[in-house]
Amino acid sequence: MGEGGRPADPSPFLRRVRIANFTSMQDVDVTLGPLTILVGLNAAGKSNFLDALRFVSEVLTGSLAQAVAARGGIAAVWRQGVQEQATMRLTINLDVMVEAKDPAHRAGPSSWQAVNYGFDLRVTSDGDHGRMPVVDREWCHLGAGSLADGAAWIGDDGESDPVYPTGFVVERGRVLRAPDYLHGPVAGPGRLLLPAAARWLPFAPVHAALSSMSFHAVSPTVMRQVEVRSGQRRLGPSGERLGEVLGHLARQSPTTKARIDDYVAAIVPGAVGVDEYVLGRRSAVRLRMVDPGTGATREFDPESMSDGTLSAAGTLAALFQPDSLNGSIPLVGVEEPELGLHPTAAGVLLDALTEASEHVQVIAATQSADLLDREDFQADWARVVRMRDGVTTVDPVDEGSRAAVAANLATLGDLLRSNQLTPRVTTSSQEDR
């Protein structure tokens, strides 16, 4: 058990991600570890990968139409715009590990089970409402491990494969295979079945985990605001509720709060820590600094804090927020965590990312070569993100780059600066070149 009471679990939560035709990604197949760092130039598609995972969470907690509209509509979500959407399927397929609450679905003595979940989306024309996104196919296989195609669960004779006894398959609103309690008017072309299935124990942890992934692109402007206290313990996508998160950690997880302060002190010379400042029913943050001349501690309000200091505090709060400590948040994604920081702070930031990955799966998107400069940076952490002819590829570091690092000829950061950090060519990458 950790400080937050999280049970021991197999890390990572999200093992494999396959994405087709979402924004700039035509055919992406990525395996993930406890820590994955997406490395690439600006506009290569790093944020699109994280957004595909965020899209899953939003569709499971809201609606498909809302999630598509929030991104600018069908033309912004489907890879090639509206011209080819009648035949183009948008697919997101995930292999995850979740805690099995029902002993009947546990893998032997382990309380954890492999799950394959995904969906295909298409665009249809509605005479009254125009073009609409709909669910073409959705599947969830519990205890099945990795399946490349949801259709593999149903045999040619229409019977379920005995290797995959629990789960469901839905096509165009019609339940093809599922437990008896999921048959009937529980699916529809405009909504997913998993939120309804979450009322039953086998599917509840799957829905809870996928809908609880947390993604952050922190904004100093947002974090400078004085906010009405909400009672929530989760950091908002742009760093909302930073003060409340820090205050809760100080009260409930003082050791973790002290670690955040240690990181802030290592990043910001003279800093002692960042704390919540309560103003009645409102919450803000303040920075504690030590005067080098007198040794006295001084406090600074958000308006006096630099963008880099606020960004560092927001990123650290995202990584160590209370619900990531107790397992309620299984995955944290952070975009450009190095923004506003001096290059010398990159090593400290990497330490924070690696430490956080011991209690929550972490995906970080960066274009910073400084973050990759450490000799102990493991090539297996990195995924090279590139854009070719409008198509994003995400691949492991190639063997040549690994050999150069192993021979101490260069760091991965050196290779990135010289544009020599190259991906291992996979089938999908090869097709795009």
Side-chain angles (χ1 to χ4, degrees), residues 316-339:
L316 292 167
L319 295 172
F320 295 96
Q321 57 189 305
D323 283 356
S324 74
L325 299 174
N326 64 25
S328 297
I329 294 176
L331 181 148
V332 172
V334 291
E335 295 190 39
E336 309 294 353
E338 75 283 354
L339 287 181

Side-chain angles (χ1 to χ4, degrees), residues 199-221:
R199 291 178 290 174
W200 286 273
L201 193 58
F203 301 101
V206 183
H207 180 267
L210 290 173
S211 61
S212 296
M213 296 183 290
S214 186
F215 303 94
H216 305 275
V218 296
S219 164
T221 300

Side-chain angles (χ1 to χ4, degrees), residues 121-138:
L121 307 179
R122 62 187 175 89
V123 177
T124 187
S125 180
D126 184 298
D128 296 324
H129 301 93
R131 299 171 68 79
M132 301 176 60
V134 296
V135 181
D136 194 56
R137 184 179 178 91
E138 179 190 9

Side-chain angles (χ1 to χ4, degrees), residues 22-360:
F22 182 88
T23 59
S24 62
M25 291 174 287
Q26 175 179 315
D27 182 14
V28 165
D29 188 340
V30 184
T31 57
L32 302 172
L35 173 62
T36 302
I37 299 183
L38 306 173
V39 182
L41 300 177
N42 190 35
K46 303 183 298 295
S47 295
N48 290 344
F49 182 85
L50 288 175
D51 191 46
L53 302 181
R54 184 188 295 110
F55 181 77
V56 173
S57 289
E58 292 180 7
V59 172
L60 290 175
T61 54
S63 74
L64 173 59
Q66 290 172 340
V68 171
R71 288 160 176 77
I74 289 170
V77 176
W78 262 256
R79 187 177 65 84
Q80 293 184 354
V82 298
Q83 297 303 316
E84 298 183 24
Q85 287 160 6
T87 57
M88 182 180 291
R89 297 295 184 269
L90 186 161
T91 300
I92 300 179
N93 191 355
L94 309 174
D95 288 346
V96 301
M97 292 291 289
V98 300
E99 188 174 15
K101 304 297 184 182
D102 186 346
H105 297 101
R106 293 180 177 177
S110 173
S111 64
W112 297 87
Q113 65 177 345
V115 177
N116 176 247
Y117 175 75
F119 49 76
D120 295 327
L121 307 179
R122 62 187 175 89
V123 177
T124 187
S125 180
D126 184 298
D128 296 324
H129 301 93
R131 299 171 68 79
M132 301 176 60
V134 296
V135 181
D136 194 56
R137 184 179 178 91
E138 179 190 9
W139 60 90
C140 182
H141 304 294
L142 305 180
S146 174
L147 295 176
D149 185 351
W153 189 60
I154 293 188
D156 294 337
D157 58 357
E159 297 297 324
S160 61
D161 188 325
V163 178
Y164 310 123
T166 305
F168 62 76
V169 176
V170 178
E171 278 192 0
R172 303 190 180 187
R174 186 168 63 95
V175 179
L176 299 183
R177 183 68 55 180
D180 290 341
Y181 52 76
L182 290 183
H183 286 274
V186 292
R191 65 180 186 270
L192 296 170
L193 177 58
L194 184 58
R199 291 178 290 174
W200 286 273
L201 193 58
F203 301 101
V206 183
H207 180 267
L210 290 173
S211 61
S212 296
M213 296 183 290
S214 186
F215 303 94
H216 305 275
V218 296
S219 164
T221 300
V222 169
M223 292 183 290
R224 282 195 174 91
Q225 297 175 6
V226 177
E227 302 175 296
V228 176
R229 303 187 86 219
S230 65
Q232 296 188 44
R233 309 187 311 172
R234 294 195 179 199
L235 191 73
S238 299
E240 299 89 344
R241 300 182 293 278
L242 174 59
E244 284 193 84
V245 169
L246 294 174
H248 183 88
L249 287 170
R251 294 186 297 272
Q252 303 296 328
S253 304
T255 302
T256 302
K257 175 59 167 60
R259 290 298 296 151
I260 291 177
D261 288 343
D262 288 342
Y263 281 122
V264 170
I267 291 171
V268 182
V272 178
V274 179
D275 308 305
E276 180 183 24
Y277 179 45
V278 179
L279 305 163
R281 296 178 57 191
R282 296 180 178 273
S283 175
V285 294
R286 60 185 179 187
L287 173 68
R288 284 177 288 129
M289 299 279 291
V290 173
D291 188 309
T294 65
T297 299
R298 299 180 59 192
E299 296 179 345
F300 297 86
D301 62 28
E303 292 298 327
S304 302
M305 295 168 63
S306 69
D307 285 358
T309 300
L310 281 167
S311 293
T315 297
L316 292 167
L319 295 172
F320 295 96
Q321 57 189 305
D323 283 356
S324 74
L325 299 174
N326 64 25
S328 297
I329 294 176
L331 181 148
V332 172
V334 291
E335 295 190 39
E336 309 294 353
E338 75 283 354
L339 287 181
L341 298 181
H342 192 276
T344 57
V348 179
L349 180 60
L350 182 62
D351 285 337
L353 292 170
T354 55
E355 181 177 343
S357 69
E358 296 174 3
H359 67 261
V360 65

